[in-house]
Each structure stands twice: as structure tokens, then as C-alpha cells.
Amino acid sequence: MSIAYCLCPSFVGKNIVEPDSFTDIFIGCFINTKDQIVIDSNGHLWNEYLNSVKDDCNSFQLFKVWEHQLKSNKNEGKLLVSHVKPNIINEECLYESAEKAITTNMKYIVVNDNNSMKEFISRINKQKIKLLNKNNFKNLKSETTVKEFCFNKAISDINWCLSRLVRNKLNKSENECNDYIRDLLSAKDYEIKDQPREGISPTGKDKGSLDIIIEEGGSLVSIIETMILTSLNTEYIITHYNKLLHNYNPTGIPHTFLVTFYKGKDFTAWWNRYSNYITQLDPKTLASGDRTVLNPIVEQSTIYRSQKSFLQTGTISGAFFSCLHIAIDLSN
């Protein structure tokens, strides 16, 4: 699975000159893989990388070799620019860049000393970002292929489950559809919980009932909220979107799914109206209101015309979130 690395300048300055580190990490891990390097839109991190190597000729030369590889045509898309607020520096810039990077890859902040990020550790844990140092690289790939939750993989697996549901074309209720998805995800070794009660209901008087939650080691890592629609019922859509982002998500889990089982007459026309509605959505419509910033949607490719999706990202009170909107055509 792919990784998005955000590198501490001191890590670059100290390690790029070491032959083993340059070959195994800077080239082996950062270049010769599908992984990405996160940099900030203000250019602060890149300038600090240059400052970290400018006083040593060998370090500077190796950095320029690495830079050339990163920016070559064959590695287009290797650098991931994260749009952060202006005038932030050092560890704050490192954290903000990782948090706000728009990607479904796993996120790692790479440092020399984990203690340098102690001010941000609670936020790092909440956003499911990992801290990494030089000693961790040897076991990184084997660790990330065992039981580490990855949003990108979850997207693929949930889309597969939904495609199986479409192929069956049975007249299932919402609960029956949810049961079907739970069973398939459980068979793929996901830790699935059955309609747990967490957060608050839209009325604010009781705990909410989540459709499907995914855990890793007993910790909540993602929520799947489902709904059946036959038309563009905007009030119903907002109610379910609020469940994911606010009511039923009190801990602020950053990665969620909003799944629609469409049973109307024209799936393609409905999907276009749905996409336009979310694109033009006023953040004040959501429960978090003025605290919410919504980014433009990013269409996701699908191999079936009966299955559509797009990714919407944003921030709530400065904390990053991403929600994959998926719809499948269950009309007769």
C-alpha cells in the first residue's frame, strides 16, 4: 500500500549524506515506489531542506540528485503539495502539511527524534498519522501490510462489496444491504461492529445508531453511513452527512463513507444532480457551520456505470476530514 511522507528538514540534512540511507531510504523508499513526498504550499519545508544541506558539499550534491529524481517526468505526481495557512514554520508546518495533504494514502511524518513532535502528538494520533524515524524503515513495509488501516484499501474493498450487491440485484431493504456489506467486509478481515450506538442523534436527545463502523485493535478508524434514495432529497442527504461529520462522529474520525442505494428511475441524471448539489453545498448547511471549510470534490474512476463516486475533503475547526460519496444503482 502507498504512503505519503512528510519529511522533517533535520532528517534530510542528517541522513541524505549517509550512503545506506540515501540508497535504501531516499531512493529505495521515496523514489522507487508509488509513495509520495508531502511539501507545503508556502515552500517553507523545501527551503528548509536546502538550508539543512547547504553547508556540506556532499549533502548538497546528493540532495540535488534526489530533487532531480523527484521532479523528473517519470515521477510526475511524486510531490504532493499541501495547502496550509501562511506564516507557519518548523514542527507546526510539518504537522499541518501532513494533516491537510489531500490523499487516501497512509500518512507518515518522518523525523530524527519523535520528541520533536510532542506538542502535536495528540492531534497526530487523532488524525491517524504515524511518526517514523530512521530506525523504523526496515520493518515499515511489513508492518503496513499486516493490520494497519488504510483508507485507500478500504475504498477498493468497499467498492468491491458494493459491486457484488449490484450484481445480485435483489430487492433488499437498507438493513439487508448493510448486513450484506458487513458480511463481505468481515470476510476480508475487517473489524466490523454491528450498529453501535455512539455520539448523539440528530435530535440531540439520545445516542446515535451508526450503520457500519470499522475498527483496528478496538479503535474506531472509519464510519460507513448508508441511505436509500429515489430522488434528490436534500434534507435527507444533509441529515446523513451530518451524522458522519458531526452527530455520530464525536471523536472526529477523519475518513468516512456516505453510501447511497439508489432506487429511482434515472441513475445517471440523479448522480449528476447529487454531485452538483454537494459541489455547491454551503458549509453553513452542516451542523458544524462556520467551523467547516469544504474543498472541491474529486471524481473517482469506476469500472461500472451502475456505480459512481467522488471524494470530498475539508476541515472542521482546522482538523482535516475526507468523505467518499458512493452511489450504486439498485433500481429495477
Side-chain angles (χ1 to χ4, degrees):
M1 63 185 67
S2 298
I3 296 170
Y5 297 102
C6 193
L7 310 181
C8 173
S10 64
F11 178 87
V12 175
K14 181 177 180 180
N15 294 289
I16 200 167
V17 73
E18 297 181 5
D20 289 346
S21 295
F22 183 77
T23 302
D24 297 341
I25 298 176
F26 285 86
I27 300 299
C29 289
F30 299 155
I31 300 296
N32 296 335
T33 64
K34 294 181 179 180
D35 299 338
Q36 294 177 294
I37 300 296
V38 177
I39 56 175
D40 65 291
S41 55
N42 301 325
H44 172 73
L45 289 175
W46 199 261
N47 286 335
E48 289 303 305
Y49 296 158
L50 286 168
N51 287 334
S52 73
V53 298
K54 67 179 181 180
D55 294 329
D56 183 85
C57 182
N58 290 333
S59 295
F60 183 78
Q61 288 178 346
L62 288 172
F63 179 83
K64 298 304 289 184
V65 170
W66 183 60
E67 178 184 31
H68 176 74
Q69 290 292 320
L70 279 175
K71 297 181 178 180
S72 69
N73 290 334
K74 70 174 183 178
N75 285 320
E76 185 176 0
K78 176 68 74 171
L79 286 173
L80 178 60
V81 179
S82 182
H83 294 277
V84 301
K85 59 189 178 186
N87 303 319
I88 58 172
I89 60 174
N90 302 333
E91 284 75 19
E92 183 181 8
C93 182
L94 197 62
Y95 167 74
E96 290 278 344
S97 298
E99 183 202 27
K100 289 184 168 57
I102 299 177
T103 179
T104 54
N105 292 340
M106 296 175 62
K107 297 179 180 180
Y108 280 80
I109 294 176
V110 184
V111 296
N112 275 327
D113 182 3
N114 288 7
N115 289 322
S116 64
M117 299 300 297
K118 63 182 179 181
E119 180 182 346
F120 301 92
I121 194 64
S122 61
R123 295 160 67 185
I124 287 172
N125 288 333
K126 183 177 181 180
Q127 292 295 323
K128 302 297 180 182
I129 301 171
K130 303 294 184 182
L131 277 182
L132 189 68
N133 56 51
K134 181 181 176 182
N135 294 329
N136 302 139
F137 271 97
K138 288 184 178 180
N139 299 321
L140 175 61
K141 288 301 180 180
S142 61
E143 289 176 358
T144 56
T145 56
V146 183
K147 287 293 288 181
E148 190 68 62
F149 177 78
C150 176
F151 189 44
N152 208 29
K153 183 177 185 302
I155 289 174
S156 176
D157 289 338
I158 290 170
N159 274 321
W160 177 82
C161 294
L162 293 171
S163 72
R164 303 295 298 183
L165 186 58
V166 173
R167 289 172 62 182
N168 280 338
K169 278 292 184 182
L170 300 177
N171 187 23
K172 295 179 180 290
S173 68
E174 183 177 338
N175 284 338
E176 288 172 329
C177 289
N178 290 343
D179 289 342
Y180 187 85
I181 295 168
R182 283 191 201 96
D183 290 344
L184 289 179
L185 288 175
S186 294
K188 284 181 167 287
D189 293 328
Y190 284 88
E191 294 179 29
I192 304 297
K193 298 300 180 182
D194 184 20
Q195 289 192 320
R197 297 177 64 79
E198 297 197 19
I200 56 173
S201 66
T203 65
K205 296 179 179 180
D206 199 1
K207 287 187 176 181
S209 179
L210 301 174
D211 286 332
I212 303 171
I213 73 168
I214 302 175
E215 294 186 347
E216 283 293 349
S219 296
L220 177 64
V221 293
S222 190
I223 303 171
I224 305 172
E225 181 67 19
T226 65
M227 54 186 176
I228 291 178
L229 288 175
T230 58
S231 63
L232 191 69
N233 187 334
T234 56
E235 183 177 350
Y236 192 65
I237 293 168
I238 287 300
T239 296
H240 282 265
Y241 209 3
N242 275 328
K243 287 181 182 180
L244 278 180
L245 302 182
H246 181 71
N247 300 98
Y248 293 4
N249 189 1
T251 57
I253 296 302
H255 300 308
T256 60
F257 298 83
L258 183 57
V259 177
T260 300
F261 307 126
Y262 179 72
K263 295 190 176 183
K265 295 181 179 180
D266 190 334
F267 178 65
T268 300
W270 171 85
W271 175 252
N272 290 334
R273 292 195 300 272
Y274 180 88
S275 300
N276 288 336
Y277 173 67
I278 298 298
T279 297
Q280 299 169 16
L281 187 63
D282 185 347
K284 294 180 181 177
T285 309
L286 298 169
S288 43
D290 291 337
R291 295 182 291 118
T292 304
V293 175
L294 298 176
N295 297 323
I297 67 172
V298 180
E299 292 284 348
Q300 305 290 294
S301 61
T302 56
I303 61 176
Y304 304 111
R305 66 173 179 270
S306 59
Q307 198 164 331
K308 303 289 186 181
S309 70
F310 61 75
L311 183 70
Q312 183 164 57
T313 62
T315 59
I316 299 177
S317 298
F320 175 82
F321 77 85
S322 61
C323 179
L324 189 75
H325 296 244
I326 313 174
I328 59 172
D329 186 7
L330 294 182
S331 57
N332 295 324

